[in-house]
Amino acid sequence: MSQLTTLVLSLIDSSKDLVIQYECCMCLKNVIKGDVNLQIDYGILLNKLIPLILTFLDKFLSSNVVWPLISLVNELLTKSQYTCSTQDLINAFQSPIFKKLLSTQSELLQGALVDTFKNIIVTFDPNDKIPSIYTLALEFIDIAFQVIII
């Protein structure tokens, strides 16, 4: 499985076509779901896929694109909690693109972000110190309430 993952990641890196990159992400989603023995290096996947997924979410607002990507993020987070450090998971969501997504006006993307935050927070052990994730969640809530008030 890890060889297939490496090949798909190299295809993502070599192609600039967004459709090919998206389909590679969907292929990796299925590979991740099937990885019951945790043989994949999820640290590499987090570093490669999260920025790409965030770029897709920033560009496309179709539910046919957004929900499968959020599902991929959730699968990735679920498996990463067993193999990656807390800091690796936190770093994956510190990009400027993710912070830009927090101010989206799209109800679809807002719902997807709510699901993502729920899954990010649940992924961590209750004793883990994740103030930056809580800060991002609070920023998102604050922005959402400002839009409602206006």
Side-chain angles (χ1 to χ4, degrees):
M1 268 223 230
S2 60
Q3 289 177 344
L4 177 60
T5 304
T6 303
L7 289 172
V8 174
L9 286 174
S10 68
L11 182 57
I12 288 173
D13 288 340
S14 66
S15 178
K16 299 300 177 210
D17 186 327
L18 292 177
V19 174
I20 291 173
Q21 290 178 331
Y22 175 81
E23 290 301 328
C24 286
C25 287
M26 295 303 98
C27 176
L28 286 172
K29 181 174 87 169
N30 291 325
V31 170
I32 292 167
K33 280 183 178 181
D35 183 26
V36 294
N37 296 326
L38 301 175
Q39 296 177 346
I40 297 172
D41 186 341
Y42 288 97
I44 290 173
L45 283 182
L46 278 172
N47 291 328
K48 292 270 188 179
L49 292 183
I50 295 298
L52 182 60
I53 291 168
L54 294 175
T55 300
F56 286 137
L57 292 175
D58 188 40
K59 292 181 184 230
F60 303 105
L61 295 177
S62 167
S63 62
N64 295 343
V65 174
V66 171
W67 287 115
L69 290 171
I70 294 303
S71 175
L72 171 57
V73 169
N74 293 337
E75 287 291 328
L76 190 55
L77 288 173
T78 299
K79 298 288 175 85
S80 295
Q81 70 182 337
Y82 301 111
T83 61
C84 294
S85 71
T86 300
Q87 194 56 48
D88 287 341
L89 289 167
I90 291 171
N91 289 342
F93 291 93
Q94 294 299 316
S95 74
I97 295 171
F98 190 75
K99 291 186 179 187
K100 179 182 170 189
L101 288 176
L102 297 180
S103 61
T104 184
Q105 300 296 313
S106 163
E107 287 183 29
L108 175 66
L109 195 49
Q110 286 175 342
L113 286 170
V114 167
D115 284 348
T116 300
F117 276 120
K118 285 192 303 190
N119 285 307
I120 291 171
I121 292 170
V122 168
T123 297
F124 292 100
D125 184 271
N127 296 326
D128 282 342
K129 303 215 181 322
I130 53 169
S132 58
I133 297 294
Y134 293 137
T135 300
L136 283 173
L138 290 173
E139 283 178 38
F140 173 66
I141 291 168
D142 186 48
I143 291 167
F145 278 138
Q146 286 178 9
V147 169
I148 292 170
I149 292 171
I150 294 176

